[in-house]
Amino acid sequence: MSNNSLTPSYFQFTVFADYGPLRYLFFSLSLLIYVTIISANAVIVLSVCLETSLHQPMYVFICSLCLNSLYGSTGFFPRFLVDLLSDTHFISRLFCFIQMYVTHTYLGYELNILTAMAYDRFTAICQPLHYCSKMMPRTVLLLLILAVLYSWCSIGYFFYLAITLPLCGNKLHRGFCNCWTIINLSCEDTTVIQMACQFVALTSILIPLIFVLYTYLRILLVCRRSSSEFRGKALQTCLPHIVTFGNYCISLVCEILLSRYNVNEVNPSVIVVLSLEFLIIPSIINPLVYGLNLPQIRGVMIGFLRPLE
C-alpha cells in the first residue's frame, strides 16, 4: 500500500443522509441550540466576572464550567452546521484532529472541573472553619491548572495514537472526528492499543468518580448529624452540582457505549443524536441549573437585564 493510502489527507463523515428540504429545518434547530448555548453560558460568565460579590471559589468553578461549554460547543457546532447544508461531508486531516482535540479535552475538562467543585463543596460543608484557608485564590487556580494538565496527560496518549497510526481508510461513522473511530481505521492489529486505551479511559473516569462519591458520602454523614436548616442550605448548594455531575455521567456513558458499539449496525440518525447529546445537554443544563437555582447568580443576572427593559 502506498504511503498516501496510509496517511489520508481527509476524512469523510458517513452518517449524514440526504435530508432534502428538511436539512434547512435541522440547520435552523441546530443553529438555535448553538446560539442558546452561547448566550446562556456567556451570561453566567459575565455575571461572575463583572460582579465582585461572586468572586468566590464556587462561582469561579461555575464560570470555568460555562467557559468549557463555550469551548466545546464552538469546536463542534460550526463544522456540524456546515455539514447539515453540504452535499459532501469531507474534512481535512488537520481540521479533523483539531476538532478531535477540542471535543476530547472538553470532556476531560468538564469531568475535572466537576471533581474540583465536589472538593469545594466538601470543604465548605465538612470543614467550614478551614474553608478560607484551604480554598484560597491560589488553591482555586492550582485546581483549575491541574484540571487542564490532567486532561492533557490522559488524552495525549489517544491523540498521539490517532496521529501516528497508519490508516487503511478514511470513512468516519460519526458526526464529528472521534479518536477511537480513527484508531479503528488502523491497518495494524490494535488489540493491545485498545486494551491500553480502555485502561487509561477507565482510570481517567473512575478516579474522579470515586472521589466525588466519597465527598458526597462525607457530606451526607455531616448533614445527618446537623439541623434541618443546615441540611436545607447544604442541599441548596449541592443540588446543582449533583444534577450537572449526574447528567454528565449519563452523557459520558452514552459516548463510551457508542464508541465501543459496532456503529455499522446502528441507524445513522441515532448515531448523530447520541453524538450530540454529550455536547448539547450539559452545555444547556449547566447555565440553567446554576442561573435559576442559585439566588446569588440569579440576582446578578436580573440586575444586568433590568436596564435592557
Side-chain angles (χ1 to χ4, degrees), residues 130-197:
H130 302 284
Y131 182 76
C132 291
S133 61
K134 286 192 173 185
M135 296 303 297
M136 298 175 65
R138 65 167 177 254
T139 305
V140 175
L141 179 61
L142 178 61
L143 289 174
L144 292 175
I145 292 175
L146 288 176
V148 173
L149 293 178
Y150 187 73
S151 298
W152 283 352
C153 293
S154 59
I155 293 169
Y157 176 68
F158 300 100
F159 197 72
Y160 171 77
L161 290 176
I163 293 176
T164 58
L165 280 175
L167 306 179
C168 286
N170 66 344
K171 296 184 183 298
L172 304 177
H173 303 291
R174 298 295 294 272
F176 61 96
C177 289
N178 177 273
C179 188
W180 189 263
T181 307
I182 292 177
I183 291 175
N184 284 337
L185 294 176
S186 174
C187 306
E188 301 177 349
D189 182 12
T190 59
T191 303
V192 176
I193 293 175
Q194 290 180 15
M195 293 176 62
C197 289

Side-chain angles (χ1 to χ4, degrees), residues 222-235:
V222 170
C223 290
R224 184 180 179 182
R225 299 191 299 265
S226 304
S227 64
S228 58
E229 181 181 358
F230 180 88
R231 288 195 295 268
K233 291 181 179 180
L235 179 63

Side-chain angles (χ1 to χ4, degrees), residues 53-67:
S53 64
L54 297 181
H55 293 177
Q56 303 175 33
M58 181 174 70
Y59 303 112
V60 171
F61 288 130
I62 293 172
C63 180
S64 301
L65 207 60
C66 292
L67 282 173

Side-chain angles (χ1 to χ4, degrees), residues 15-271:
V15 297
F16 293 96
D18 183 9
Y19 298 111
L22 285 177
R23 70 170 67 182
Y24 301 105
L25 173 62
F26 296 149
F27 174 85
S28 300
L29 291 175
S30 298
L31 181 61
L32 177 61
I33 291 172
Y34 181 42
V35 172
T36 301
I37 290 173
I38 295 296
S39 303
N41 285 278
V43 168
I44 300 293
V45 171
L46 290 175
S47 299
V48 174
C49 291
L50 298 178
E51 180 57 41
T52 54
S53 64
L54 297 181
H55 293 177
Q56 303 175 33
M58 181 174 70
Y59 303 112
V60 171
F61 288 130
I62 293 172
C63 180
S64 301
L65 207 60
C66 292
L67 282 173
N68 189 49
S69 294
L70 294 174
Y71 167 72
S73 58
T74 302
F76 168 77
F77 271 100
R79 172 68 206 193
F80 180 74
L81 292 171
V82 170
D83 281 320
L84 287 175
L85 295 180
S86 178
D87 293 324
T88 59
H89 308 99
F90 297 102
I91 183 172
S92 68
R93 183 181 178 90
L94 174 63
F95 282 103
C96 182
F97 286 136
I98 291 175
Q99 185 187 61
M100 180 176 66
Y101 175 81
V102 171
T103 53
H104 283 67
T105 50
Y106 157 78
L107 280 172
Y109 296 160
E110 188 90 357
L111 180 59
N112 295 334
I113 293 171
L114 288 171
T115 304
M117 293 175 72
Y119 175 73
D120 174 70
R121 292 300 83 209
F122 164 76
T123 307
I125 295 173
C126 299
Q127 302 172 347
L129 298 179
H130 302 284
Y131 182 76
C132 291
S133 61
K134 286 192 173 185
M135 296 303 297
M136 298 175 65
R138 65 167 177 254
T139 305
V140 175
L141 179 61
L142 178 61
L143 289 174
L144 292 175
I145 292 175
L146 288 176
V148 173
L149 293 178
Y150 187 73
S151 298
W152 283 352
C153 293
S154 59
I155 293 169
Y157 176 68
F158 300 100
F159 197 72
Y160 171 77
L161 290 176
I163 293 176
T164 58
L165 280 175
L167 306 179
C168 286
N170 66 344
K171 296 184 183 298
L172 304 177
H173 303 291
R174 298 295 294 272
F176 61 96
C177 289
N178 177 273
C179 188
W180 189 263
T181 307
I182 292 177
I183 291 175
N184 284 337
L185 294 176
S186 174
C187 306
E188 301 177 349
D189 182 12
T190 59
T191 303
V192 176
I193 293 175
Q194 290 180 15
M195 293 176 62
C197 289
Q198 290 174 7
F199 174 78
V200 173
L202 284 175
T203 53
S204 300
I205 295 170
L206 286 179
I207 291 176
L209 179 61
I210 291 172
F211 178 79
V212 171
L213 293 177
Y214 167 77
T215 58
Y216 274 103
L217 177 61
R218 292 286 302 275
I219 290 173
L220 287 174
L221 293 175
V222 170
C223 290
R224 184 180 179 182
R225 299 191 299 265
S226 304
S227 64
S228 58
E229 181 181 358
F230 180 88
R231 288 195 295 268
K233 291 181 179 180
L235 179 63
Q236 185 183 44
T237 59
C238 290
L239 185 59
H241 181 264
I242 295 173
V243 172
T244 53
F245 187 78
N247 173 70
Y248 175 80
C249 289
I250 294 173
S251 302
L252 192 60
V253 168
C254 291
E255 173 62 17
I256 292 174
L257 291 177
L258 189 59
S259 298
R260 299 295 301 132
Y261 198 75
N262 186 359
V263 293
N264 294 319
E265 301 175 359
V266 182
N267 187 292
S269 299
V270 175
I271 295 176

